[in-house]
Amino acid sequence: MNSPVWHPFTQHALEPSMKRIVQTGGACLIDEDGSRILDAISSWWVITHGHRHPVIMRAIQAACETYDQIIFAEYTHEPAETLARGLVEVAPAGLTHVFYSDSGSTSVEVALKMALGFFHNSGAPRSRICVMEDGYHGDTIGTMSAGERGVFNAAYEPLLFGVDRLPFPVTGREQATFDAFERFCATGQVAALLIEPLVLGAGGMRVYPATIISELKRIAERHDVLMIADEVMTGWGRAGSLFACEQASVMPDILCTSKGLTGGSLPLAATLCTAEIFEAHLSADRRRTFFHSSSYTANPIACAAAVANLAVWKDEPVRERIGSLVGMQQERLARFQEDLRFASIRQAGTITALDLRVPAGGYLSDVGPRLRAFFRERNLLIRPLGNVIYLMPPYCVTAAELDRAYDAIDEAAAYFAAGRL
Ligand SMILES: *Cc1c(COP(=O)(O)O)cnc(C)c1O
C-alpha cells in the first residue's frame, strides 16, 4: 500500500488509501472494483464533451503515427499551425496571435509577461497587475501572486509579488469595484487587469454578470490598460458560450485557454493576443524578443487533440448539448431555491453551485472532506470547496446521472442537519 506518489492538494496524513481508476468513458470513471463513479466535476474541470471522445482519441492515435515532440523554435508543424488558425477563427475578434504552453498556470504566466513586455518595449514601462478578490489563476509563483492569498500560499508569501485587488462585484455594490479600478488605473502603473470572466472558480464558484466585464473593459481602455481574460476554466462552453467573454461582447487584449482546449484529453495551453502586443515584440533588436519557452511548447500530439476538439465543436451539436445541460442543471437546482439548509444558489452556464449553511465555513472547515467522503461512498466524484458544493459535469452527462448527484446533495444536507456527517 506504500506508494511513492505525492498527490496534488492532498493531505496524505488524513486521506484514506486511494482506489485506482482503471478506465474512463462518458461521464464516468471506473475503479479497480468495477464501480462506475460519476465524474461530476469533469476530472478537475478539464473534460468537456466526455471521457475518451472517439474523434479526439482517434486524432491522438493518428498523430502518434507521425510525431512525438518537435522543437518549436526554428521549426513549426502542421497541428500547431492548423490549431492556431482555428483558435483565431473561433476566439473573440482581434486576437490574432497564439502562443503555446502546457497548462493553465503557464498560459497566465505567458499573459503577464506579454503585458509587461508590451509596455517595456513601448518605452513606457508599467509594472502593476490588477486582479479581482477571490481570483485563482494557478499555482506557480506568478499566478499565486495574482490569486487570492490564504492557507494555500501562506508558506510562499515571502516570494509573491504585490498586486492591486478589486473587491468582488457584489450585487448592489458594483460601483465599489469600478471605483477601485479607476483609482488603481489613475496611478499610470497598471499594465493589465487579469480576471476570470463570469465565474471565479477555485475562489468558491462566485458568479457575476457580464455587464461588469464590459464596464471594466471601458475603464481599462480609457487608461490604456490591457485586459487579460483567464478563460482556463470558463472556456470551451463551460460558462454557456464558447468563451465567457462573448457574453459581455468584450474583446480582451489577451486570452488564456487550457483545460477544455483538448477536450481535456492531453495537457496543452494557448495564450492569444492582439496584433498590437505581438508587434510590440517585433523588432530588429533582439532584446525585444518574447523570452519565454517550455520544452514541450506546442506538443504535436496535444495540438492534434485540440484540432480534433475544434472539429467536434464544428461537426457535432455541442452548443445544443450545452444548452440542454444548462436547462437540466437549472431544473434540478430549482428544488433548492427555498431550501434554508443552503445559501447562494447559483449557476453560470453548465456550472451550478450552492453553499451548505455551516457554523464555520472556509476551505479548511472539516465539512469539505466529510462531504467528499459522503459522495465518494455513493460513487460520485464531487469535491466541495469548503462548504461550497458545485457540479461541473461533462456535457454528455445524462438526466439520470444528474438526478443521482442532486439526490445525494439533498441527502448530504439531511445527514449534516442530523449531525451524521
Ligand atoms: C485551473 C485554472 C488555472 C490553472 O490551470 P492549471 O492547468 O491547473 O495550471 C488557471 N486559471 C483558472 C481560472 C483555472 O481554473
Side-chain angles (χ1 to χ4, degrees):
M1 266 352 283
N2 260 334
S3 165
V5 176
W6 193 344
H7 288 263
F9 268 78
T10 299
Q11 180 41 266
H12 282 275
L14 298 173
E15 203 70 13
S17 79
M18 294 181 189
K19 282 264 159 59
R20 286 178 193 218
I21 298 301
V22 296
Q23 203 183 327
T24 64
C28 288
L29 310 176
I30 298 162
D31 74 12
E32 55 192 311
D33 305 328
S35 300
R36 288 177 68 82
I37 298 149
L38 177 63
D39 188 356
I41 61 161
S42 297
S43 278
W44 259 343
W45 319 348
V46 302
I47 302 292
T48 47
H49 314 291
H51 284 279
R52 283 193 308 117
H53 189 290
V55 172
I56 297 173
M57 293 297 109
R58 277 201 299 274
I60 293 170
Q61 279 170 353
C64 289
E65 296 294 320
T66 319
Y67 310 106
D68 51 7
Q69 175 63 25
I70 303 166
I71 186 172
F72 206 58
E74 280 191 69
Y75 294 95
T76 190
H77 51 75
E78 195 270 332
E81 294 293 332
T82 306
L83 176 59
R85 272 192 299 277
L87 287 175
V88 167
E89 206 176 296
V90 300
L95 297 169
T96 54
H97 289 77
V98 178
F99 192 95
Y100 291 112
S101 63
D102 321 304
S103 72
S105 300
T106 56
S107 75
V108 176
E109 294 281 350
V110 164
L112 295 176
K113 286 175 71 171
M114 279 180 178
L116 261 74
F118 171 78
F119 285 101
H120 179 267
N121 291 350
S122 307
R126 295 185 181 191
S127 58
R128 300 294 296 182
I129 299 295
C130 198
V131 300
M132 202 181 272
E133 170 193 9
D134 277 342
Y136 176 82
H137 301 286
D139 277 342
T140 53
I141 297 292
T143 56
M144 275 196 294
S145 300
E148 188 64 24
R149 306 294 170 85
V151 64
F152 309 103
N153 40 44
Y156 327 114
E157 182 75 32
L159 292 185
L160 305 186
F161 55 79
V163 294
D164 299 324
R165 286 177 204 280
L166 306 181
F168 181 83
V170 178
T171 311
R173 279 185 275 143
E174 298 87 350
Q175 196 56 44
T177 306
F178 304 141
D179 291 348
F181 190 36
E182 283 278 5
R183 267 198 316 278
F184 290 132
C185 287
T187 64
Q189 279 306 303
V190 178
L193 169 69
L194 165 64
I195 52 164
E196 298 164 83
L198 299 183
V199 198
L200 310 193
M205 296 299 156
R206 300 190 77 179
V207 171
Y208 65 93
T211 48
I212 303 287
I213 306 170
S214 342
E215 182 56 28
L216 289 173
K217 177 67 172 150
R218 267 193 292 278
I219 297 170
E221 275 173 6
R222 270 207 304 280
H223 296 275
D224 295 319
V225 168
L226 301 173
M227 179 182 268
I228 305 170
D230 177 353
E231 294 244 20
V232 170
M233 183 194 76
T234 50
W236 305 102
R238 260 306 152 207
S241 45
L242 180 57
F243 290 108
C245 284
E246 291 170 21
Q247 293 179 47
S249 303
V250 157
M251 185 204 102
D253 301 283
I254 303 177
L255 183 147
C256 308
T257 178
S258 183
K259 292 181 174 136
L261 173 58
T262 59
S265 61
L266 285 175
L268 183 68
T271 307
L272 280 68
C273 73
T274 59
E276 209 185 349
I277 294 170
F278 177 78
E279 279 156 19
H281 291 83
L282 205 56
S283 168
D285 181 351
R286 288 186 195 284
R287 284 172 303 185
R288 288 175 167 233
T289 304
F290 186 54
F291 291 110
H292 191 94
S293 158
S294 48
S295 310
Y296 289 102
T297 303
N299 175 268
I301 301 165
C303 286
V307 170
N309 175 47
L310 281 175
V312 170
W313 272 85
K314 206 164 163 201
D315 303 338
E316 295 185 19
V318 178
R319 284 174 179 81
E320 286 76 2
R321 277 178 212 148
I322 289 170
S324 110
L325 174 55
V326 169
M328 289 198 292
Q329 288 273 65
Q330 205 168 1
E331 281 163 32
R332 281 157 186 79
L333 200 58
R335 86 195 229 196
F336 298 105
Q337 221 50 263
E338 309 289 317
D339 193 331
L340 295 176
R341 298 172 303 171
F342 295 100
S344 308
I345 315 293
R346 54 202 185 273
Q347 177 171 10
T350 69
I351 308 166
T352 54
L354 63 181
D355 300 357
L356 183 66
R357 282 188 205 271
V358 291
Y363 183 89
L364 289 189
S365 87
D366 244 16
V367 68
R370 280 185 286 150
L371 283 167
R372 195 147 57 72
F374 177 91
F375 293 125
R376 191 167 55 237
E377 284 159 19
R378 285 154 186 77
N379 286 330
L380 291 163
L381 174 53
I382 299 176
R383 291 176 59 97
L385 300 156
N387 65 324
V388 177
I389 304 174
Y390 71 91
L391 297 182
M392 198 189 297
Y395 308 152
C396 66
V397 74
T398 64
E401 286 168 333
L402 279 182
D403 283 338
R404 214 157 72 65
Y406 282 96
D407 287 347
I409 292 172
D410 203 339
E411 197 189 354
Y415 267 60
F416 182 75
R420 291 170 63 201
L421 190 84

